[in-house]
Every structure is written in structure tokens, then in C-alpha cells.
Amino acid sequence: RFLVKGGLAGAAVYVAYDQGLLGSGIESAEALRKAQETLPPAIQEWTNYLGWEVRAAQLPPTPKFEFSLANSWNKGVHRVMSALSVAPTKACEYTVEGWKYVKDLVK
């Protein structure tokens, strides 16, 4: 079982790499566009092959993604760097507040 699962996982990673899903954002967008063009005809072909009666109008439309992985990544990097740049200042402020609290407790 473990070997079968490992083989399927390896094959999935290989296919994703081969299709350009693990590359840059431009390559991923191109792979998504190809999948959106290819998937509905492939589903129709399989349903015809299996003898199922499915009309193209019955198939749901492919979802439209307005999500940029590159922009999300860059936004996350900016937030982390911003947090790291103010970290020393915040640490000093919290230390001063902590000392004041301890002094008030000791009094």
C-alpha cells in the first residue's frame, strides 16, 4: 500500500512539474488556460465512451480564477519584512511596559 501511494504521489508531482504547474506564475497561468480548454472536451469524450447521456449545457462552466500567486507571495514577503523591521522597536516598548508593570507590583 505504501509503495502504491508513494508511486501515485510521485506521479502527481511529476505530472505537475511536467505541465509547468511548479514553475513561474506565467507558466502556471498557461497550464491553467490549457486545462480550461482541454477539460470540457475530454469530459464529453469520456461520457460518450461510457454511454452516459451528458449534454455540454449540463456541464458546469469552468471556474474563473482571479488570483495571482506572485502578488500574494510578494504581499506576504512585504508584511513579514515590515514586521521584522519594527520588531526591535516593539520589543523595546514591551520591555519598558513590562518593567513599569513589575515596578508597580513591587511597590
Side-chain angles (χ1 to χ4, degrees), residues 11-105:
V13 170
Y14 173 75
V15 169
Y17 177 77
D18 188 48
Q19 294 299 318
L21 294 175
L22 301 178
S24 68
I26 296 170
E27 291 174 354
S28 298
E30 181 66 24
L32 178 63
R33 187 192 59 74
K34 283 195 285 186
Q36 287 174 338
E37 291 174 357
T38 307
L39 199 56
I43 291 173
Q44 186 65 40
E45 181 181 334
W46 273 97
T47 55
N48 291 341
Y49 177 75
L50 295 173
W52 295 342
E53 185 63 34
V54 176
R55 296 184 191 343
Q58 292 175 341
L59 293 175
T62 55
K64 303 287 185 209
F65 292 108
E66 296 296 328
F67 176 76
S68 173
L69 187 60
N71 289 340
S72 297
W73 175 265
N74 290 339
K75 192 181 296 182
V77 169
H78 285 288
R79 287 194 181 190
V80 167
M81 291 302 143
S82 174
L84 289 175
S85 69
V86 297
T89 306
K90 290 293 183 182
C92 288
E93 289 175 10
Y94 293 147
T95 303
V96 169
E97 288 178 19
W99 277 112
K100 285 181 185 177
Y101 180 74
V102 170
K103 283 181 184 178
D104 289 342
L105 286 178

